Amino acid sequence: MLIVQKFGGTSVGSVDRMRNVAQRCIAAQQAGHQVAVVVSAMSGETNRLLGLARQVHDDVNDREVDVIIATGEQVSVGLVALAIRAAGGKARSFLGHQVKIVTDSAFSRARIVSIDAEPLRECFASGEIAVIAGFQGVDEHGNITTLGRGGSDTTGVAIAAALKADVCEIYTDVDGVYTTDPNVVPSARKIDRISYEEMLELASLGAKVLQLRSVEMGMKFGVPIHVRSSFSESEGTWVVPEDSKMEAIAVSGVTVARDEAKITVEDLPDTHGIAWRIFAALADASIVVDMIVQNQAYDGTVDLTFTVPSLDHKRSMETLIAQVPDLVGRAGERIKADNDICKVSVVGVGMRSHAGVAKRMFELLAQENINIQLISTSEIKISCIIARKYAELAVRVLHDGFGLAGA
Ligand code: ADP
Ligand code: ASP
Ligand code: MG
């Protein structure tokens, strides 16, 4: 078999842990497999580097910031390759540009365009383990780029897709994907198998165990993903195509995202082209909008409410004041912004065939006196915006209320 093993920050968090990683890779090779290893920076390192960059300059979407934060993974690949050699194995390290992980030029959130698997095949042919830096790539001009926080997951799955690997193993500090974050809700249960679609929703709604793009890539190229612990041998969670058994349960997971802010523009004229102008202004400023709700009043006005990433919340208001002052008021007096919100969601493919999931979710929140500010749904998820102070309470109540808690 051809196996890609991706090790996250905690799994390579110390020299001892890197020795453990080396043992795992060597064991897989000795079992007869070809092994490519993708590693993250040591835990805390990317934050430290980002902190240094921010001391000098605010804008994180900058070419030089990527030059700085990509170094964490460079240290890790060197050390892991050395650890494999020290343990008697053969290994070679690769940085993003050496495997030719070519990306677009969107610094800090680049997307992979292509990968040249040839250097890795040469490495396998000479009996070596390929140790590849996660998170980083190179654009067509030779600039170093990074793939967004958690991006080593995406490197792992992308390498697996390029090599047509049999599996991409994601080694992390929990032993699989749980019904909710096990570090927040101790009664969370490990899920044995989950569909790509559900995992996509969980990842996009706040479960950081896999980066969203890694799941998109796995789904697109049919890479089976096995999320498991680097500290034990136990079977983790398989992310695979949906099967009929998965529909039996209505809700498979609960998530919370704390990084959004809510903006309302009141008393807009009830006529065509208004939403277009507002969202064109935001799109031109590269602000990604998540939920959108519009309410038509009977007096000829509408209120428009939407959510944006918390980090963009001030910039969104400034953009609207600058671009559409006739709609929001010259001083933004028709804008109301709230940065103290969070989004709780329940996810499950079973929702398609089970009635009453929304009713139950609203009932559970109401019983705790939690007010729902916005609601949005898709075929397999329901999300509610609530005050941020209720985030943990809401997750616990929904998790228990939908019967997800373990024995
Ligand atoms: P790594 O450094 O290995 O990439 P991350 O910190 O990015 O690890 O992701 C693992 C963490 O994801 C866990 O420690 C856990 O707190 C968090 N997490 C959030 N939601 C979930 C979930 N539903 N299942 C498992 N882990 C989750
Ligand atoms: N080191 C990067 C981060 O902390 C990438 C990763 O760990 O996946 O976001
Ligand atoms: Mg991660």
Side-chain angles (χ1 to χ4, degrees):
M1 288 215 300
L2 203 164
I3 301 179
V4 175
Q5 301 186 321
K6 178 261 168 177
F7 291 90
T10 326
S11 311
V12 293
S14 67
V15 168
D16 265 349
R17 289 191 172 169
M18 288 183 178
R19 290 199 183 102
N20 170 50
V21 168
Q23 290 303 342
R24 282 210 175 239
C25 311
I26 292 173
Q29 197 190 35
Q30 284 175 347
H33 307 307
Q34 292 180 319
V35 185
V37 190
V38 172
V39 290
S40 291
M42 297 171 77
S43 54
E45 188 58 12
T46 310
N47 282 344
R48 188 185 70 83
L49 294 164
L50 205 50
L52 281 177
R54 283 204 175 122
Q55 282 178 37
V56 187
H57 183 51
D58 276 348
D59 184 4
V60 292
N61 303 329
D62 188 290
R63 176 185 187 277
E64 309 311 331
V65 176
D66 279 9
V67 169
I68 298 163
I69 62 179
T71 59
E73 273 70 12
Q74 176 162 348
V75 173
S76 291
V77 276
L79 284 170
V80 168
L82 273 182
I84 293 174
R85 287 201 207 155
K90 285 165 77 181
R92 198 191 314 176
S93 67
F94 291 90
L95 298 179
H97 71 273
Q98 294 169 321
V99 200
K100 295 208 190 59
I101 301 180
V102 179
T103 70
D104 61 19
S105 303
F107 298 112
S108 83
R109 60 203 135 93
R111 294 188 84 100
I112 298 177
V113 178
S114 65
I115 291 182
D116 178 8
E118 213 30 57
L120 302 178
R121 294 199 190 282
E122 283 167 20
C123 193
F124 297 147
S126 58
E128 289 170 311
I129 295 172
V131 186
I132 303 147
F135 187 49
Q136 53 173 262
V138 61
D139 74 2
E140 57 172 351
H141 310 293
N143 298 306
I144 291 173
T145 55
T146 63
L147 307 179
R149 299 309 305 270
S152 298
D153 296 332
T154 301
T155 309
V157 178
I159 294 279
L163 287 170
K164 301 196 169 49
D166 296 282
V167 57
C168 179
E169 296 182 328
I170 303 280
Y171 286 93
T172 183
D173 55 2
V174 284
D175 55 8
V177 178
Y178 278 67
T179 46
T180 194
D181 188 339
N183 288 321
V184 177
V185 181
S187 64
R189 251 187 312 114
K190 190 177 80 187
I191 302 171
D192 294 333
R193 289 164 68 80
I194 188 167
S195 68
Y196 288 115
E197 243 187 297
E198 282 171 313
M199 195 60 234
L200 269 184
E201 293 283 11
L202 291 178
S204 79
L205 296 168
K208 72 162 182 171
V209 61
L210 284 176
Q211 197 200 31
L212 177 59
R213 283 184 191 167
S214 70
V215 190
E216 286 171 353
M217 186 103 54
M219 183 159 157
K220 185 165 165 200
F221 294 100
V223 179
I225 301 173
H226 185 189
V227 181
R228 55 192 307 195
S229 166
S230 58
F231 308 118
S232 84
E233 292 294 332
S234 64
E235 187 81 355
T237 300
W238 285 88
V239 188
V240 289
E242 186 177 331
D243 62 42
S244 52
K245 274 192 237 137
M246 293 173 182
E247 290 215 343
I249 27 170
V251 170
S252 330
V254 180
T255 60
V256 61
R258 291 179 174 79
D259 51 359
E260 286 186 42
K262 185 181 79 169
I263 294 181
T264 300
V265 188
E266 293 174 324
D267 294 334
L268 288 160
D270 187 8
T271 180
H272 63 274
I274 302 296
W276 177 24
R277 288 185 58 208
I278 288 187
F279 292 110
L282 295 169
D284 288 347
S286 298
I287 293 167
V288 179
V289 176
D290 179 25
M291 289 188 185
I292 301 177
V293 177
Q294 177 174 290
N295 259 335
Q296 201 170 21
Y298 286 104
D299 63 355
T301 67
V302 295
D303 290 350
L304 191 59
T305 302
F306 52 91
T307 61
V308 294
S310 229
L311 282 174
D312 286 333
H313 133 265
K314 258 183 73 195
R315 200 160 64 87
S316 304
M317 293 195 286
E318 288 160 7
T319 301
L320 293 177
I321 293 169
Q323 301 300 323
V324 287
D326 56 315
L327 298 180
V328 302
R330 295 211 168 272
E333 57 271 23
R334 286 205 283 281
I335 305 178
K336 284 216 167 80
D338 184 352
N339 206 0
D340 273 329
I341 57 154
C342 69
K343 177 168 67 180
V344 283
S345 310
V346 299
V347 173
V349 287
M351 234 178 256
R352 293 196 200 107
S353 46
H354 289 73
V357 177
K359 174 225 124 196
R360 180 78 179 128
M361 180 176 191
F362 305 153
E363 180 182 18
L364 289 164
L365 294 175
Q367 282 167 351
E368 297 297 327
N369 300 325
I370 299 174
N371 186 33
I372 302 170
Q373 304 177 18
L374 293 182
I375 300 166
S376 91
T377 62
S378 81
E379 212 189 347
I380 65 162
K381 73 117 201 274
I382 305 166
S383 300
C384 295
I385 296 287
I386 60 171
R388 198 173 289 161
K389 64 180 178 195
Y390 295 127
E392 284 187 17
L393 173 63
V395 168
R396 250 187 295 120
V397 160
L398 293 172
H399 186 260
D400 292 353
F402 280 105
L404 298 178

